Amino acid sequence: MGGRIDCYVDIASFYSYIIFLDLLRNRDLLKAHSITVEFHPFLLGAVNAGSGNKPPWTLPAKATYGLHDAKRTIARFPNLPIQFPADLMSVALTVLPLRALHFIKRTYPDPEVFITTLHYFFHAFWAPPNVNLTRAENVKMVLEQVPAGFKGAGDAGEEKLFSKDEVEAILKGAGSQEMKDLLKGTTQKALDQGAFGAPWLWVTNEGGKSEPFFGSDRFHFVYQFLGLPFQNVALLPPANQSKL
């Protein structure tokens, strides 16, 4: 048994944050089944434009339903502080932090540095007071604040992941043509796979066959495709019904 899950995410995508947390808390179990998980920062706005898709909140019916769906999804993580930005459209173009993540992923040998930074960017964007990551000064501030080994809300951490010199190097690297091309190439790769939104999963099973999956709640299909044992949804009898 084995395989891999390539997960394409954007910081400005709420459901990217959810799938990141889900995969993170199941990472050890997946590893025990010889499943490799890799996260790929990509630009959701470019995916929407390239696929002809539109953000769900631009359609009134989807926007109304989305409020219900978001509330139900957040309930799966009861201790997760979530507050949608007041004007999501104006802060959704997270190009600089996505390039910074690619630089960190390519530069630091320890993959946990990249995972921790991605986690903290998600937290900064979606937890109140919702840091605007379209601004370079805010990206710098967040990078300077990343706690080493960040585990989630409430983990301030005295030791910081990056020194001030490292933050400067990350920001400089994020502005390089190499990182611009890398983000663009990653986004195009997802589009070539058929991506039209986020999160986008490209899953490969032990036989080498790959299939796409979309959304943060398709794990029953993903696990089935990978041949993993999992507990499916099952309707139970009323609690007061006697057993036969």
Side-chain angles (χ1 to χ4, degrees):
M1 190 176 297
R4 64 179 290 118
I5 299 173
D6 288 287
C7 184
Y8 294 80
V9 296
D10 188 334
I11 299 162
S13 160
F14 167 65
Y15 292 101
S16 287
Y17 188 13
I18 295 300
I19 202 170
F20 170 80
L21 294 173
D22 237 327
L23 286 169
L24 200 61
R25 69 183 179 183
N26 286 302
R27 189 167 50 160
D28 290 342
L29 266 177
L30 288 164
K31 185 178 180 181
H33 287 290
S34 300
I35 304 298
T36 300
V37 177
E38 186 172 356
F39 295 99
H40 304 275
F42 77 157
L43 188 59
L44 178 56
V47 168
N48 283 334
S51 64
N53 196 9
K54 293 182 179 180
W57 57 84
T58 61
L59 179 65
K62 279 188 177 182
T64 300
Y65 175 78
L67 296 174
H68 298 291
D69 193 64
K71 189 182 299 183
R72 294 164 186 155
T73 301
I74 292 169
R76 293 172 49 211
F77 298 88
N79 298 317
L80 186 67
I82 287 286
Q83 174 178 280
F84 276 66
D87 187 1
L88 185 56
M89 285 293 287
S90 68
V91 298
L93 200 62
T94 52
V95 175
L96 180 58
L98 292 173
R99 290 175 182 165
L101 284 165
H102 274 290
F103 179 83
I104 292 166
K105 187 179 182 183
R106 174 161 289 193
T107 306
Y108 288 81
D110 183 359
E112 291 305 307
V113 176
F114 165 73
I115 293 294
T116 300
T117 310
L118 176 57
H119 194 174
Y120 197 68
F121 269 135
F122 272 129
H123 170 72
F125 188 92
W126 289 103
N130 303 112
V131 179
N132 182 348
L133 295 177
T134 64
R135 297 177 180 173
E137 64 271 22
N138 288 347
V139 175
K140 179 181 179 182
M141 175 190 71
V142 170
L143 285 169
E144 289 176 344
Q145 292 177 349
V146 182
F150 179 69
K151 300 300 181 185
D155 181 9
E158 293 185 8
E159 183 183 354
K160 301 306 176 187
L161 188 60
F162 303 112
S163 68
K164 290 188 180 297
D165 287 344
E166 286 179 303
V167 169
E168 292 295 339
I170 291 168
L171 291 172
K172 182 178 179 180
S176 69
Q177 189 61 49
E178 182 184 6
M179 291 306 114
K180 292 177 183 179
D181 292 342
L182 190 52
L183 176 58
K184 184 178 179 180
T186 303
T187 303
Q188 186 59 52
K189 185 174 182 178
L191 279 167
D192 291 343
Q193 294 169 352
F196 53 86
W200 180 255
L201 297 176
W202 190 253
V203 183
T204 305
N205 63 21
E206 63 178 345
K209 181 181 179 182
S210 298
E211 287 190 6
F213 296 83
F214 172 71
S216 64
D217 57 353
R218 319 306 283 175
F219 282 113
H220 50 309
F221 296 134
V222 171
Y223 295 158
Q224 185 177 46
F225 178 71
L226 288 170
L228 303 180
F230 67 98
Q231 186 172 352
N232 211 341
V233 175
L235 184 64
L236 301 177
N240 60 354
Q241 180 173 315
S242 61
K243 296 182 179 179
L244 299 178

